[in-house]
Amino acid sequence: MHVQEWLETVPAVAVYALVGVVIGLESLGIPLPGEIILVSSALLASQHGEIDPVVLGASATGGAIIGDSIGYAIGRKGGRPLLAWLGNKFPKHFSEGHIATAERSFEKWGMWAVFFGRFVALLRIFAGPLAGVLHMPYWKFLIANVLGGIVWAGGTTAVIYYVGIVAESWLKRFSWLGLVAAVLVGLTSMLVIKRKAKKAQETQQAQPVAAAE
C-alpha cells in the first residue's frame, strides 16, 4: 500500500506521532524514510482538514531536534567504536566511505554541517551521532540543530502543504476546463457533421433535377 493511502486510514493524532517518531529515530541515526513520511503527511494535510499542518510541522520539528540531540549524546559517549558498530549493522549507510565524507563535511563546515545536513538524506542520519563523536561544542550543535530542525521540518511541511492546495485547486479548475472543452468539441463536431449531411442531401436532391433536364 502507498504511504499516503496508509496514512489516510489512521487518526490525525497517530499521524502526528508517527511523523515525530520516524523523523526522531532517523535523526538519532537509524536509517528510516523520514522525509517520505513527512512529505506524504503534508500532502495529506492539504487534502483533508482533519490534519492540522501547524501541528504536523511542530511534530516533525520536535522529532528532528530531540532525535538529533539524543544522537549527539550517544555519539559523544560511544565514540568511534559506535561508528564501527553502526557500520556492521548498517553497511549501506554507515560505510567507511560515507563516514569519511561526513567527517570531511564537518571539518570544513563545522556547525553548518549540522544545519545543512538536514537537507541531505545521508547527513541527516549522521549529523547528531557524528557531531557527538567529533566532540563538537554542544552550544554550537544545539543552535545548528534547532535552526536546522525548524527550517527543514517546518519549511518542508509548509511548502508541500501549500503546493498540495495549489495543485488540488488547479486540478479542479482543469477538470472544469476539460468538461467545457469536451462540450464545445462535441457541439462543434455535431454542427460540422450536420452541415455536411445537409450539404450532401442538397447535392443528392440536385442530381435528379440535373438529370431530368
Side-chain angles (χ1 to χ4, degrees), residues 129-208:
L130 192 56
V133 170
L134 297 177
H135 286 226
M136 177 182 288
Y138 183 70
W139 68 268
K140 289 186 175 182
F141 171 80
L142 183 62
I143 292 173
N145 179 29
V146 171
L147 292 178
I150 292 172
V151 174
W152 175 74
T156 299
T157 302
V159 169
I160 298 300
Y161 174 76
Y162 286 112
V163 166
I165 290 178
V166 171
E168 187 176 14
S169 176
W170 183 84
L171 287 172
K172 285 180 179 178
R173 289 199 301 271
F174 179 79
S175 64
W176 280 106
L177 289 172
L179 178 60
V180 171
V183 171
L184 290 175
V185 169
L187 288 173
T188 303
S189 301
M190 185 179 67
L191 290 174
V192 170
I193 293 173
K194 188 176 180 180
R195 185 176 178 182
K196 285 186 176 181
K198 185 178 180 181
K199 188 175 181 180
Q201 186 179 7
E202 290 175 351
T203 302
Q204 288 177 354
Q205 290 176 352
Q207 284 177 352

Side-chain angles (χ1 to χ4, degrees), residues 77-103:
K77 185 175 182 180
R80 292 195 174 274
L82 173 65
L83 295 180
W85 180 83
L86 289 172
N88 291 328
K89 290 293 182 180
F90 307 103
K92 182 178 177 181
H93 297 87
F94 289 90
S95 66
E96 292 183 5
H98 287 165
I99 292 174
T101 300
E103 280 189 293

Side-chain angles (χ1 to χ4, degrees), residues 20-56:
V21 169
V22 170
I23 291 178
L25 291 175
E26 183 189 38
S27 301
L28 190 152
I30 300 175
L32 290 175
E35 194 166 37
I36 294 175
I37 294 293
L38 179 58
V39 169
S40 298
S41 300
L43 279 175
L44 186 62
S46 69
Q47 299 166 7
H48 298 277
E50 294 84 0
I51 299 177
D52 188 331
V54 176
V55 178
L56 180 65

Side-chain angles (χ1 to χ4, degrees), residues 58-71:
S59 300
T61 301
I65 294 172
I66 293 171
D68 240 14
S69 297
I70 295 174

